[in-house]
Amino acid sequence: MLIITVLFIVSCSKENKTQQIGERFFETYSKRKEVDKMLSFYADQFKYENVGFESETDDPKFLYEEFYGWNDTGFQYGSEATIAVDEILSNDSTIIAIGTTMPYAYNGKQVEGTRFVICLELDQNQKIKKQTDWFDYPMAEILEAYYLKNSMKIE
């Protein structure tokens, strides 16, 4: 019985730690300012996939500076928070966040908030080794990304 209790406590403390990592990650993510702090969450070997836009990278700095556009001054939010996380689910190696992006303006054009699910897979050091984003993008954004992606292909 003692062994089962100890295993349960160890298991819960690991899951509690991943829950705390998830909370810190998404709190920092929501502020959309500290790229270096965000990079500290990632493993050296990393893979990113955006399911809706069929995009990938293995460079978290590129993810924040180029893909998410954190340095792009065209993004204007009404508050410091850029996402609202409704729920964070975690176990010892995975964190899943469910939420909504806050409405914003991009180069003067209003963009409504979208629902998202972000899955973070952790390595043995509790660093993100894989991130998968599912955003419920408006159809106009999906079409724009599709045409942009196709115009960049070399034939």
Side-chain angles (χ1 to χ4, degrees):
M1 184 67 172
L2 180 61
I3 293 173
I4 293 172
T5 304
V6 169
L7 288 173
F8 179 74
I9 290 169
V10 169
S11 174
C12 288
S13 69
K14 238 184 173 183
E15 288 181 26
N16 191 24
K17 181 172 177 153
T18 56
Q19 183 75 20
Q20 291 171 357
I21 291 168
E23 290 168 4
R24 285 194 323 267
F25 176 90
F26 287 103
E27 180 182 329
T28 305
Y29 182 106
S30 181
K31 292 178 183 172
R32 201 176 162 88
K33 292 180 181 176
E34 300 176 85
V35 172
D36 289 337
K37 188 171 182 180
M38 290 306 298
L39 298 180
S40 73
F41 287 99
Y42 291 91
D44 291 336
Q45 299 296 310
F46 164 73
K47 185 74 175 159
Y48 170 81
E49 177 184 12
N50 182 299
V51 176
F53 281 157
E54 298 178 353
S55 301
E56 298 178 342
T57 187
D58 60 1
D59 180 358
K61 188 170 184 164
F62 176 85
L63 173 65
Y64 287 93
E65 291 181 350
E66 302 300 325
F67 193 83
Y68 288 152
W70 279 22
N71 295 329
D72 187 339
T73 58
F75 285 98
Q76 299 295 316
Y77 287 86
S79 69
E80 184 177 279
T82 65
I83 62 171
V85 176
D86 299 322
E87 187 172 11
I88 296 176
L89 307 168
S90 67
N91 64 24
D92 63 339
S93 63
T94 307
I95 300 166
I96 298 173
I98 302 165
T100 308
T101 62
M102 304 307 281
Y104 62 93
Y106 183 69
N107 290 332
K109 179 183 172 196
Q110 283 300 122
V111 180
E112 63 187 63
T114 59
R115 295 178 308 152
F116 67 82
V117 175
I118 297 175
C119 179
L120 307 172
E121 296 175 39
L122 307 178
D123 67 9
Q124 70 276 7
N125 298 315
Q126 304 287 291
K127 298 289 186 175
I128 301 165
K129 65 180 180 180
K130 183 170 186 200
Q131 178 174 336
T132 307
D133 289 357
W134 288 276
F135 283 84
D136 187 15
Y137 296 110
M139 187 54 70
E141 286 185 43
I142 293 171
L143 290 172
E144 184 178 331
Y146 171 79
Y147 290 122
L148 179 62
K149 190 172 184 178
N150 280 337
S151 70
M152 297 170 86
K153 289 183 180 176
I154 300 172
E155 298 186 25

